[in-house]
Amino acid sequence: MKTIRRLIYKEVLQAVLLVTIGFLALFYFFDLVDELQDVGRGVIPYRVSDALIYVTLQVPGHLYELLPIAVLLGTIFVMARFAQSSEFTILRTSGLGPWRALRTLLAMGLGFVVLTFSLGDYVSPFSDRAAQLLKAASQGDISVGQTGAWLREAQGKHRYSVNVGALAPDNSMRNIRIYAFDEQGYLSSLTEAASGRFAPHGWALEGVSRNNFPPPSANAVQVERQQLPSYTWPTEISAEMVSAAILKPDRMSTLALFQYIQHLEANEQSSQRYAIEFWKKVFFPLSCLVMVVLALPFAYLHFRSGNMAGYVFVGVLIGISFFLLNNVFGYIGNLRDWSPWIAAAAPGILYSLLSLGAFGWLVLKR
């Protein structure tokens, strides 16, 4: 069985590698053409070398998104070729039964699961953030809309609403406003800063203007104004949380998403969108297992009389429909307020059952 496993693993890995290189080359070309439109623009002119580095830093993100579909295409190609050349029939007579074949592919799929998880949780977030900061260095700060990002935090009896205008290329913040409210909900202070950096126990603000408002019950009506060269605001809002509010949540790591969800729930903010993204990050690597299960029935088809390309094309359409349904369920779950893990896991469970049903029918009935 070791010889059979080595044969299957070698053929599938080579096919997956070939499909992956083809997809990445295509995406690299399209991304580069899109980036060349920005060459020469910006505060610091955007160079061709910058565009090449930016597109290269986007490769891990594309690889993370494309790996399951590459696994599907590569495995379908190998299984269908084995069936057409009768190699799979020989493997079956050599002791490769249906369930052993399934276990063999699932074991290989677990390797792709680990690779996909590593890309999505470690490599892709780092490279995507580096790409965004690289582009911001020439085109300006990273922002969301015209008002920036809004966050909330509770500290004891006080509530804070924080606005960050933009993230600078050096990972500092620009145009910061911190609104502090007392336990009755009245505005107690407004702190504005031209810039700020993330410190170990808070934010180190520079160019600070503070307005302290007296409580409504006080007789004083004068607003106390302060101009400070620097000020440290104690907070638990981390760099990852600010990035989550400004950058795309699907580029965050699973741990960063979990921490941001906990922060939102602790401050009574809606976390549905981020909870769905969190569970999609959890279940997305497992889609590699779904892909190999989808590909296995093709080894039991008979291609001597016919059109192998047609069968393979049908398998490709099934795989593409899986990813479309995965995105659709995410949007519907967000709109209809479904349980996040159900919205993320339903497509994988559905397609796994369909593929196992097709596998059982081909093995038992045919």
Side-chain angles (χ1 to χ4, degrees):
M1 286 307 300
K2 289 184 179 180
T3 303
I4 294 176
R5 280 198 298 269
R6 281 199 299 267
L7 172 65
I8 294 175
Y9 290 172
K10 177 184 176 182
E11 294 294 331
V12 171
L13 288 174
Q14 288 178 346
V16 170
L17 180 62
L18 182 63
V19 172
T20 302
I21 292 174
F23 273 131
L24 289 180
L26 190 63
F27 276 84
Y28 193 94
F29 173 75
F30 287 144
D31 287 347
L32 183 60
V33 170
D34 187 55
E35 286 302 309
L36 289 177
Q37 300 176 5
D38 295 329
V39 171
R41 300 178 182 176
V43 179
I44 302 175
Y46 193 55
R47 300 169 297 179
V48 175
S49 60
D50 295 329
L52 289 171
I53 296 173
Y54 177 84
V55 173
T56 303
L57 289 171
Q58 294 289 320
V59 169
H62 290 317
L63 180 58
Y64 170 72
E65 295 169 349
L66 293 171
L67 192 56
I69 192 70
V71 170
L72 173 67
L73 295 180
T75 311
I76 285 179
F77 175 77
V78 171
M79 294 296 104
R81 185 163 58 82
F82 279 175
Q84 185 185 40
S85 62
S86 299
E87 287 183 73
F88 198 77
T89 302
I90 298 172
L91 294 177
R92 290 169 63 186
T93 58
S94 302
L96 186 66
W99 299 113
R100 182 169 288 178
L102 180 61
R103 288 197 302 270
T104 300
L105 288 184
L106 286 177
M108 182 188 62
L110 284 175
F112 287 114
V113 168
V114 174
L115 177 59
T116 305
F117 177 80
S118 301
L119 285 170
D121 249 46
Y122 299 103
V123 183
S124 178
F126 174 79
S127 65
D128 187 71
R129 184 178 179 83
Q132 296 298 328
L133 293 176
L134 171 68
K135 198 164 187 179
S138 64
Q139 298 190 351
D141 299 336
I142 306 172
S143 183
V144 51
Q146 296 182 350
T147 59
W150 288 90
L151 302 101
R152 291 173 61 185
E153 185 180 43
Q155 297 180 10
K157 297 181 179 179
H158 289 81
R159 300 290 185 270
Y160 294 89
S161 291
V162 185
N163 177 249
V164 178
L167 275 178
D170 59 355
N171 203 31
S172 63
M173 298 171 284
R174 297 282 189 268
N175 303 324
I176 304 166
R177 288 177 291 173
I178 304 170
Y179 299 86
F181 300 89
D182 60 22
E183 54 186 341
Q184 283 81 33
Y186 293 106
L187 181 65
S188 60
S189 69
L190 168 61
T191 303
E192 297 179 280
S195 63
R197 295 184 177 275
F198 299 101
H201 302 289
W203 292 1
L205 307 178
E206 298 177 356
V208 179
S209 173
R210 280 180 59 87
N211 295 322
N212 297 312
F213 302 97
S217 58
N219 294 325
V221 294
Q222 186 175 3
V223 177
E224 180 185 352
R225 292 182 173 86
Q226 295 177 297
Q227 296 291 332
L228 304 172
S230 62
Y231 174 74
T232 300
W233 179 53
T235 178
E236 295 182 357
I237 300 177
S238 63
E240 289 77 14
M241 295 177 184
V242 176
S243 298
I246 293 179
L247 302 177
K248 295 180 179 180
D250 58 348
R251 297 300 191 189
M252 298 170 62
S253 67
T254 306
L255 180 59
L257 270 172
F258 178 77
Q259 292 174 341
Y260 189 59
I261 291 169
Q262 296 299 309
H263 170 78
L264 292 176
E265 292 178 348
N267 292 277
E268 301 177 351
Q269 292 179 273
S270 174
S271 62
Q272 178 75 4
R273 175 192 176 196
Y274 296 93
I276 292 176
E277 288 295 337
F278 169 78
W279 285 107
K280 285 175 70 174
K281 292 284 286 190
V282 170
F283 288 115
F284 185 77
L286 298 176
S287 61
C288 291
L289 296 178
V290 179
M291 297 299 103
V292 296
V293 174
L294 279 172
L296 183 56
F298 286 83
Y300 292 88
L301 295 175
H302 301 286
F303 296 104
R304 286 189 175 277
S305 59
N307 190 1
M308 184 181 78
Y311 283 109
V312 174
F313 183 68
V314 170
V316 172
L317 291 181
I318 292 173
I320 293 174
S321 67
F322 168 78
F323 287 98
L324 289 176
L325 192 64
N326 197 33
N327 289 328
V328 169
F329 266 67
Y331 292 125
I332 295 177
N334 194 20
L335 292 173
R336 306 292 297 179
D337 201 27
W338 288 354
S339 178
W341 75 268
I342 293 178
I349 295 173
L350 176 63
Y351 274 70
S352 295
L353 293 175
L354 289 175
S355 57
L356 287 174
F359 172 68
W361 179 75
L362 284 170
V363 171
L364 298 177
K365 298 296 184 183
R366 300 186 63 181

